[in-house]
Amino acid sequence: MTRVLLVEDDPDLSLALRVLLTRRGYEVSLAADGREGLRLLFAERPALMVLDLLLPELDGWQVLDRTRDMSDLPVLVLSGLGTVDDRVRGLRSGADDYLVKPFAQAELLARVEALLRRAGPGRWAGEAVEEDLRLVPERRSALWHGAEIRLSDIEYRLLQLLVRNRGRVVTTEQLLDQVWDDTTAIGRERVKFAVLRLRRKLRATGGPQTPDPIEAIRGLGYRYESSG
């Protein structure tokens, strides 16, 4: 049975959503604050998380940020924060969809079903994301051919984004938007030099015989080529 984690501090709404999702055939876990949500997330590894933003203990922004450090499971934000800026921030922070309260139950179910239909099996920290690469989010590092590479925060996020899109070109604009939150033309040089530093670290750790997995696509961006 597909497990959904619902992180919502309103007990009435939480109960109503649990009934709704259970009747549709999902197994539902409930958390009333952000800290409990993260605990259940990593203990149960659900297929999808429905996340409120205004939570006690840890707010939804913090939960979303930590989730994206550890997993790529689909996240549906369900929030009363409904401005365009709020929705854009949610999507840029790693949410896969954003639904504003109040909402229609049928729309919620349709969005949950669509996210699960598009999503593959979730990847989690501690699992090899490539044959020769393992990301270590708690240390902001990577194991490359068995050796650890210490990365800056930017380098880690850059490698994480490229690996998540392995085999596909990630444009310079996408990297600026999602790694630096900067879409200015001046910022394009940041990408160039950050990728250069990252490639040097991979080359120094893997040795001269190890292929460089990051390919520069002239005029477009960069692509991580799968080692498997």
Side-chain angles (χ1 to χ4, degrees):
M1 185 179 293
T2 301
R3 179 178 293 276
V4 173
L5 173 60
L6 173 61
V7 189
E8 170 60 61
D9 65 333
D10 182 331
D12 293 332
L13 179 58
S14 183
L15 177 60
L17 290 176
R18 182 175 191 175
V19 171
L20 178 68
L21 292 167
T22 300
R23 286 178 177 172
R24 188 52 68 101
Y26 300 109
E27 187 173 359
V28 181
S29 298
L30 298 179
D33 62 68
R35 198 173 301 279
E36 176 67 5
L38 284 176
R39 188 190 71 78
L40 289 177
L41 179 70
F42 302 128
E44 300 184 353
R45 299 196 173 191
L48 178 141
M49 177 166 62
V50 179
L51 176 67
D52 187 18
L53 293 176
L54 301 179
L55 296 168
E57 299 293 334
L58 293 174
D59 65 31
W61 300 113
Q62 294 171 294
V63 173
L64 184 56
D65 184 58
R66 296 189 188 186
T67 297
R68 281 296 170 250
D69 280 347
M70 303 292 284
S71 176
D72 65 351
L73 90 164
V75 176
L76 169 60
V77 166
L78 194 64
S79 177
L81 301 176
T83 69
V84 172
D85 287 344
D86 291 325
R87 298 197 299 272
V88 168
R89 180 185 175 189
L91 295 170
R92 284 183 171 173
S93 297
D96 297 278
D97 200 355
Y98 195 113
L99 185 59
V100 178
K101 301 175 184 176
F103 54 88
Q105 293 184 353
E107 183 178 7
L108 172 72
L109 289 174
R111 290 179 184 239
V112 167
E113 291 164 3
L115 288 174
L116 289 171
R117 188 167 56 247
R118 294 196 300 264
R123 294 186 297 273
W124 296 81
E127 298 176 355
V129 294
E130 285 290 318
E131 181 180 351
D132 299 311
L133 176 69
R134 184 188 301 270
L135 298 177
V136 188
E138 63 272 19
R139 292 172 60 84
R140 273 300 193 267
S141 67
L143 294 178
W144 176 239
H145 290 267
E148 185 174 24
I149 309 173
R150 299 309 298 268
L151 302 170
S152 69
D153 184 62
I154 287 294
E155 289 166 346
Y156 180 87
R157 292 167 63 188
L158 178 61
L159 180 59
Q160 183 183 54
L161 181 60
L162 289 170
V163 171
R164 282 179 178 167
N165 292 276
R166 53 190 172 278
R168 300 193 298 269
V169 176
V170 183
T171 68
T172 301
E173 290 73 19
Q174 288 172 321
L175 291 170
L176 278 169
D177 185 35
Q178 297 183 50
V179 176
W180 283 270
D181 193 22
D182 179 0
T183 56
T184 64
I186 297 175
R188 295 174 65 89
E189 289 299 304
R190 298 180 182 180
V191 176
K192 176 181 176 181
F193 289 111
V195 171
L196 179 62
R197 289 193 300 270
L198 179 57
R199 295 173 80 175
R200 283 176 176 170
K201 289 185 177 182
L202 292 171
R203 191 179 306 115
T205 303
Q209 303 304 315
T210 302
D212 184 349
I214 300 176
E215 179 184 4
I217 309 300
R218 186 175 179 85
L220 291 177
Y222 300 87
R223 176 171 58 206
Y224 185 97
E225 286 293 347
S226 176
S227 60

